[in-house]
Amino acid sequence: MLLKHNIRCILAQKNISFQPFSITNNQYRVFFFSVMGCVLLFVVFRWEEERYTDGSKWRFLEHKGPVFAPPYEPLPDKVKFYYDGKPMKLSAPAEEVTTFFSKMLDHEYTTKDIFRKNFFKDWRKEMTSEEKSKITDLNKCNFSEMSEYFKTQSEARKQMSKEEKQKIKEENERLLQEYGFCIMDNHKERIGNFRIEPPGLFRGRGDHPKMGMLKRRIRPEDIIINCSKDSKQPKPPPGTKWKEVRHDNKVTWLASWTENIQGSIKYIMLNPSSRIKGEKDWQKYETARRLKKCVDRIRTQYRDDWKSKEMRIRQRAVALYFIDKLALRAGNEKEEGETADTVGCCSLRVEHIKLYPKMDDQEYVVEFDFLGKDSIRYYNKIPVEKRVFKNLQLFLENKQPEDDLFDRLNTSILNKHLQELMDGLTAKVFRTYNASITLQQQLKELTSDDSVPAKILSYNRANRAVAILCNHQRAPPKTFEKSMQNLQTKIDEKQNQLSAARKQLKAAKADRKASRDEKSKKTVEVKRKAVQRIEEQLMKLQVQATDREENKQIALGTSKLNYLDPRISVAWCKKFGIPIEKIYNKTQREKFAWAIDMAEKDYEF
Ligand SMILES: *[C@@H]1O[C@H](CO)[C@@H](O)[C@H](O)[C@H]1NC(C)=O
Ligand SMILES: *[C@@H]1O[C@H](CO)[C@@H](O)[C@H](O)[C@H]1NC(C)=O
Ligand SMILES: *[C@@H]1O[C@H](CO)[C@@H](O)[C@H](O)[C@H]1NC(C)=O
Ligand SMILES: *[C@@H]1O[C@H](CO)[C@@H](O)[C@H](O)[C@H]1NC(C)=O
Ligand SMILES: CC(=O)N[C@H]1CO[C@H](CO)[C@@H](O)[C@@H]1O
């Protein structure tokens, strides 16, 4: 498996494609490859047996360290910055910071008060004392010449000649070959993000209080390198030093540093297609498959716990029911720096739910309305079991809207309980389990005996059912209306083509009736084929339109990437002869290389 994966990577680098096929039994797989006419044979032991048992992730790790952002190039003298109407030459550090601002001048950000305030404060830190005493008001700064200059530059880049573009491409390829790979144990692996982001101004999501602050340049002195003792250690750029070189094989990162805005630690890691990432992904889905085996026992237990004499156990059991039934998150896992009032299951407050003993023709309905992760609204009305409802009434007694619903519960208590129920169990495992099993069921139900486009529509529908379950909504993309219109225009054109083609066919048939010769018979055949072809094209466009319309407010990517066992999709593709490219794009195929190699068409989650 691993070897096959690695061979695939190596061959892909050399642009050689190959067609493997394999025979599997419980201990090993035999692969046959045909590469440029030669048949190669490999016996590979299964993945499960290749892991270390002492918690270490590797024995040997060698890499060349990160690629730093290019140094600052001062502006040409003709491009001027004006303060209070007068040109002023800035020192290089101060000038560099103004270039970040100038490049964003057309963006709404630079009009926002917080952004301007933060920017000005950080900019002043880079000024000489003379500059500091002169430049005291951002409103008196005129960056328009600089802004124009950068616009011209970016225009010029677009107009570059083929040769210039080729040169840049070659340079990037050289950097990739030199820095983009590492050796981990016996494998050459692609590194995910070996380039360090250039300095700039922090943006953040929404109205982030730190927007406009200076994201500092990362230097070798900020970098901690991790590699094995017996490897060739990466060399820092001439005249510089690393902050530290470590040899920690309990972690998988190659380099790390602390960024200055949020104080969070950044890592250089392997690409998602690497063995170690693939293995982690694979383990995640294996954990979810273990839950499948014991979910009945867990459900029986929490049902019993609804009757417990102890309040804390009842609360825990109701929370667990929500996590299982609604795929809620356990606690409030906030994004760094997120200041919005977001909650998860354990931190729900009284104001977030409403109870309806009877609603329409349903009994015991709970209405949820709160902001979840990334400030995505969670709104749902669901009927629950009577016992859950009665318990909720009990939890709400004598409480204010801003009180905790589960006052005897917090995220750590719940997580600890989950660990006791099953090794490795977290709220996320319930999501992964439910999402994956739902996809599998939906695919079984929805897949039609139709054409390939219709099958893909069924796949996307199954995927959407899961995304809705996981509350992966999105605002309709800005380009939505426009792209729908374009598609509709295409459909209209196709329809006109079709009626024209049908008319021609009819005419040809009439012709044939009149003459009954060979030539007119052939013409009818040709026209019939044309009609058929156009009908197929029209159907494809219509399926596309349906798909896009249904997809308007649902983000499929998140569940595809994080919650759906890729082996289900791969098996489905293999079973129905659908090319994997129709389901996964290039990045996704790299991430799921392990599943594409592993899953057979009869794979069951
Ligand atoms: C900024 O400077 C440019 C010349 O470089 C000038 O045309 C423009 O009017 C100035 N803007 C303001 C607001 O002073
Ligand atoms: C998955 O979640 C849905 C929505 O709550 C639920 O109806 C369904 O029973 C769950 N499926 C499984 C197999 O747990
Ligand atoms: C959760 O509750 C337990 C017991 O009440 C307490 O010891 C623990 O500190 C709490 N944890 C958090 C993160 O609040
Ligand atoms: C593939 O899809 C993901 C969403 O899951 C997207 O973020 C990524 O940019 C896409 N990659 C390519 C190469 O199209
Ligand atoms: C976190 C950390 O520094 N871990 C390890 C780095 O590598 C050496 C062994 O070479 C360990 O002693 C450290 O604990």
Side-chain angles (χ1 to χ4, degrees):
M1 163 75 226
L2 296 176
L3 186 54
K4 179 179 166 205
H5 172 59
N6 249 36
I7 288 168
R8 187 193 286 283
C9 296
I10 292 163
L11 293 180
Q13 278 164 36
K14 304 224 176 300
N15 283 327
I16 301 171
S17 66
F18 74 113
Q19 285 305 321
F21 96 94
S22 62
I23 304 173
T24 313
N25 76 15
N26 272 341
Q27 276 89 46
Y28 53 85
R29 276 183 171 206
V30 183
F31 290 102
F32 301 90
F33 299 92
S34 149
V35 180
M36 300 192 299
C38 309
V39 174
L40 310 173
L41 179 150
F42 292 99
V43 179
V44 181
F45 286 91
R46 284 170 72 91
W47 214 338
E48 292 96 299
E49 284 142 60
E50 278 208 29
R51 278 178 288 144
Y52 298 117
T53 49
D54 60 355
S56 59
K57 305 286 203 277
W58 44 263
R59 296 276 186 262
F60 182 81
L61 175 61
E62 182 169 287
H63 59 96
K64 300 208 73 175
V67 172
F68 291 92
Y72 177 63
E73 274 181 46
L75 291 170
D77 283 338
K78 66 176 195 324
V79 182
K80 291 195 165 56
F81 161 75
Y82 297 86
Y83 187 72
D84 207 6
K86 292 188 203 67
M88 182 173 171
K89 180 73 190 164
L90 296 172
S91 62
E95 187 187 87
E96 182 178 6
V97 182
T98 60
T99 64
F100 306 146
F101 194 84
S102 320
K103 282 176 189 166
M104 290 175 73
L105 216 51
D106 288 342
H107 200 290
E108 199 194 339
Y109 274 118
T110 55
T111 62
K112 292 190 177 177
D113 275 346
I114 325 173
F115 192 93
R116 294 175 69 87
K117 216 175 114 224
N118 286 334
F119 160 72
F120 195 57
K121 192 169 158 212
D122 278 3
W123 181 29
R124 284 177 61 79
K125 289 182 200 156
E126 304 298 316
M127 294 177 187
T128 61
S129 48
E130 197 192 338
E131 286 164 345
K132 237 188 226 168
S133 64
K134 253 191 187 165
I135 303 172
T136 53
D137 184 358
L138 182 56
N139 293 318
K140 290 185 181 164
C141 297
N142 184 339
F143 302 104
S144 61
E145 250 186 60
M146 299 167 77
S147 170
E148 282 309 313
Y149 171 71
F150 290 122
K151 269 186 222 161
T152 327
Q153 289 249 304
S154 99
E155 216 31 60
R157 262 196 302 278
K158 280 183 207 146
Q159 308 289 333
M160 257 187 314
S161 71
K162 251 204 183 125
E163 292 75 37
E164 286 170 307
K165 279 186 188 155
Q166 185 60 27
K167 235 170 112 187
I168 293 179
K169 213 173 142 195
E170 275 164 14
E171 173 61 10
N172 281 335
E173 184 58 30
R174 191 188 66 76
L175 284 176
L176 174 68
Q177 291 306 330
E178 182 167 0
Y179 294 94
F181 295 86
C182 70
I183 307 283
M184 189 176 267
D185 292 345
N186 296 315
H187 308 283
K188 181 174 177 183
E189 299 271 23
R190 183 80 188 263
I191 301 172
N193 51 335
F194 59 94
R195 286 166 186 274
I196 290 184
E197 263 189 63
L201 301 180
F202 179 72
R203 300 184 183 201
R205 283 188 210 205
D207 274 333
H208 202 289
K210 293 188 170 176
M211 66 170 151
M213 281 175 62
L214 175 62
K215 210 169 65 179
R216 274 197 316 106
R217 178 179 288 275
I218 306 299
R219 304 153 307 150
E221 290 77 9
D222 301 315
I223 302 281
I224 302 173
I225 293 285
N226 196 18
C227 61
S228 64
K229 273 189 187 139
D230 53 349
S231 72
K232 234 194 282 158
Q233 295 192 358
K235 283 198 189 66
T240 64
K241 277 206 297 243
W242 302 122
K243 181 175 180 186
E244 190 188 331
V245 176
R246 280 185 192 174
H247 312 285
D248 188 356
N249 71 359
K250 298 284 192 289
V251 298
T252 57
W253 50 265
L254 316 184
S256 82
W257 66 95
T258 306
E259 57 84 35
N260 67 303
I261 304 280
Q262 315 265 19
S264 62
I265 302 176
K266 299 279 193 184
Y267 299 98
I268 290 186
M269 302 253 201
L270 294 189
N271 187 278
S273 66
S274 63
R275 176 189 65 114
I276 210 134
K277 290 271 173 156
E279 193 178 293
K280 219 170 150 209
D281 217 31
W282 169 74
Q283 275 172 351
K284 177 170 95 181
Y285 293 108
E286 288 303 297
T287 307
R289 287 174 92 194
R290 277 195 287 129
L291 176 58
K292 182 184 167 182
K293 295 204 188 94
C294 63
V295 73
D296 289 339
R297 168 176 64 83
I298 292 172
R299 285 175 177 161
T300 312
Q301 184 177 346
Y302 70 59
R303 284 163 178 281
D304 280 345
D305 287 347
W306 292 340
K307 296 174 275 188
S308 168
K309 284 196 211 71
E310 281 188 78
M311 188 60 137
R312 74 182 170 90
I313 291 179
R314 284 193 188 210
Q315 291 195 353
R316 196 179 69 190
V318 170
L320 194 49
Y321 170 76
F322 285 163
I323 283 173
D324 180 20
K325 178 106 176 143
L326 300 172
L328 295 190
R329 290 187 172 79
N332 37 343
E333 311 144 30
K334 285 192 189 182
E335 280 281 295
E336 289 155 25
E338 189 175 316
T339 46
D341 176 25
T342 62
V343 297
C345 185
C346 293
S347 44
L348 280 172
R349 295 191 299 265
V350 172
E351 61 198 333
H352 295 136
I353 67 166
K354 281 205 186 75
L355 303 181
Y356 302 95
K358 236 176 153 43
M359 176 185 264
D360 304 328
D361 52 356
Q362 288 179 318
E363 283 187 312
Y364 309 123
V365 174
V366 184
E367 183 184 53
F368 292 85
D369 192 352
F370 61 90
L371 290 184
K373 189 166 172 258
D374 295 340
S375 299
I376 305 256
R377 183 177 176 205
Y378 183 93
Y379 180 83
N380 202 354
K381 268 190 298 201
I382 55 144
V384 298
E385 296 192 34
K386 183 174 172 188
R387 264 227 162 74
V388 171
F389 196 84
K390 296 284 173 200
N391 269 312
L392 287 170
Q393 284 178 321
L394 186 67
F395 304 161
L396 290 178
E397 267 173 22
N398 303 318
K399 280 190 191 167
Q400 301 300 312
E402 63 281 6
D403 289 343
D404 285 335
L405 172 65
F406 301 117
D407 52 295
R408 306 283 170 89
L409 185 69
N410 62 31
T411 317
S412 34
I413 299 176
L414 186 72
N415 283 337
K416 191 158 159 277
H417 179 59
L418 291 173
Q419 278 304 316
E420 287 159 6
L421 290 172
M422 186 191 103
D423 187 32
L425 186 61
T426 61
K428 210 168 164 175
V429 179
F430 279 96
R431 276 181 159 240
T432 310
Y433 156 70
N434 193 316
S436 293
I437 197 102
T438 306
L439 178 72
Q440 183 167 289
Q441 282 162 356
Q442 291 283 315
L443 283 177
K444 275 196 186 132
E445 257 172 53
L446 296 177
T447 306
S448 54
D449 276 332
D450 242 329
S451 59
V452 171
K455 282 207 173 72
I456 291 166
L457 179 62
S458 336
Y459 177 88
N460 288 342
R461 282 189 169 147
N463 200 171
R464 277 194 282 276
V466 175
I468 291 168
L469 190 81
C470 297
N471 202 38
H472 290 147
Q473 295 163 1
R474 64 170 184 188
K478 284 200 184 82
T479 53
F480 181 79
E481 290 306 328
K482 182 105 182 82
S483 77
M484 268 324 257
Q485 264 172 21
N486 290 347
L487 196 52
Q488 193 54 49
T489 315
K490 276 192 202 156
I491 290 176
D492 293 345
E493 278 167 11
K494 225 8 111 191
Q495 242 147 7
N496 291 342
Q497 262 182 38
L498 183 61
S499 33
R502 279 189 178 142
K503 264 188 205 143
Q504 284 181 16
L505 175 61
K506 214 171 157 188
K509 277 183 180 167
D511 222 32
R512 184 175 157 218
K513 250 189 194 148
S515 65
R516 298 211 161 268
D517 63 357
E518 265 312 299
K519 187 171 159 278
S520 64
K521 193 176 162 193
K522 254 194 195 138
T523 314
V524 169
E525 258 331 287
V526 170
K527 299 289 176 197
R528 197 194 304 281
K529 285 242 168 72
V531 168
Q532 236 173 36
R533 200 180 56 239
I534 297 170
E535 273 172 352
E536 270 164 28
Q537 288 165 343
L538 178 63
M539 201 259 304
K540 214 169 156 180
L541 286 171
Q542 280 166 335
V543 167
Q544 223 180 53
T546 314
D547 202 26
R548 211 175 279 178
E549 180 64 43
E550 287 179 1
N551 220 24
K552 191 172 171 181
Q553 291 184 329
I554 298 169
L556 289 186
T558 317
S559 49
K560 223 178 200 175
L561 232 42
N562 299 309
Y563 295 107
L564 297 173
D565 184 344
R567 287 169 294 183
I568 299 170
S569 301
V570 172
W572 180 83
C573 285
K574 288 186 181 165
K575 189 166 171 188
F576 293 103
I578 311 283
I580 201 87
E581 296 77 29
K582 302 270 184 199
I583 301 296
Y584 290 135
N585 70 22
K586 186 159 176 289
T587 0
Q588 292 165 338
R589 287 199 299 280
E590 279 175 6
K591 179 173 156 85
F592 297 138
W594 63 270
I596 294 171
D597 284 347
M598 203 182 239
E600 306 294 342
K601 67 174 190 293
D602 51 1
Y603 173 78
E604 286 271 334
F605 175 76

